[in-house]
Amino acid sequence: MFTFTLQLRTSLETQKLDLMAEVSDLKIKLVGMEKEQSEYEEKQNKAESVVNLISELQEQMCRLQLEINSRIQERNSQDRKPDLTANGPQSSSRSCWCGVWVGGLLQELRHLKIKVEELENERNQYEWKLKATKSTFLQLLLKQN
């Protein structure tokens, strides 16, 4: 009877040590996942800042293009010369250049939006994993007590 009790106690202590080691491992994983989550949140914030900056730059470029076009029209009306060969191609080339530049910005904006969505999906996955790890951790703590 005494040896049985001693074996049972030894077995329980071994299980307790195993659970404590597992809890320690889970704590380490939890800290790592929280760090990863904060890094992804930081990346997402940076991506959102870049998207906002690009949007602002695009708006500024459009305003500048409108201002340039209006000044060209003012000069043309002041000159009152219907010389379309001198002003026409120049005006359209500026418009074309700005259109290409704005088109490039739009493409970059789309790319950044996709990247932000990917980062959000990754963050959601890590949050889900973090919650699952916390749940497992709590279950182990409850079993231990």
Side-chain angles (χ1 to χ4, degrees), residues 90-123:
Q90 188 179 21
S91 175
S92 68
S93 69
R94 285 181 182 163
S95 177
C96 179
W97 176 82
C98 184
V100 169
W101 193 79
V102 169
L105 280 177
L106 286 173
Q107 185 177 7
E108 182 69 16
L109 181 63
R110 286 185 201 108
H111 172 73
L112 288 171
K113 283 182 179 179
I114 290 170
K115 187 67 176 174
V116 167
E117 288 173 2
E118 289 173 355
L119 288 172
E120 285 176 347
N121 288 337
E122 281 187 56
R123 187 194 74 204

Side-chain angles (χ1 to χ4, degrees), residues 119-132:
L119 288 172
E120 285 176 347
N121 288 337
E122 281 187 56
R123 187 194 74 204
N124 288 336
Q125 289 175 357
Y126 279 108
E127 285 177 351
W128 183 84
K129 287 181 183 177
L130 180 64
K131 287 178 183 177

Side-chain angles (χ1 to χ4, degrees), residues 50-63:
V50 169
V51 168
N52 291 336
L53 178 63
I54 288 173
S55 178
E56 289 174 14
L57 289 173
Q58 182 182 8
E59 289 175 12
Q60 288 176 1
M61 281 303 297
C62 289
R63 283 192 296 261

Side-chain angles (χ1 to χ4, degrees), residues 22-84:
E22 193 172 341
V23 166
S24 295
D25 290 341
L26 287 173
K27 283 181 182 179
I28 291 170
K29 286 181 183 179
L30 180 63
V31 168
M33 292 180 83
E34 287 174 344
K35 181 180 176 185
E36 286 179 13
Q37 181 181 1
S38 67
E39 288 172 358
Y40 281 111
E41 287 174 355
E42 183 179 332
K43 286 180 184 179
Q44 180 181 0
N45 290 337
K46 286 180 182 179
E48 288 174 358
S49 297
V50 169
V51 168
N52 291 336
L53 178 63
I54 288 173
S55 178
E56 289 174 14
L57 289 173
Q58 182 182 8
E59 289 175 12
Q60 288 176 1
M61 281 303 297
C62 289
R63 283 192 296 261
L64 287 173
Q65 183 63 37
L66 290 173
E67 186 178 333
I68 289 170
N69 287 341
S70 68
R71 287 186 183 183
I72 290 171
Q73 288 177 355
E74 286 175 10
R75 284 185 185 169
N76 287 342
S77 66
Q78 287 175 356
D79 292 343
R80 296 194 187 261
K81 292 182 182 177
D83 187 14
L84 297 176

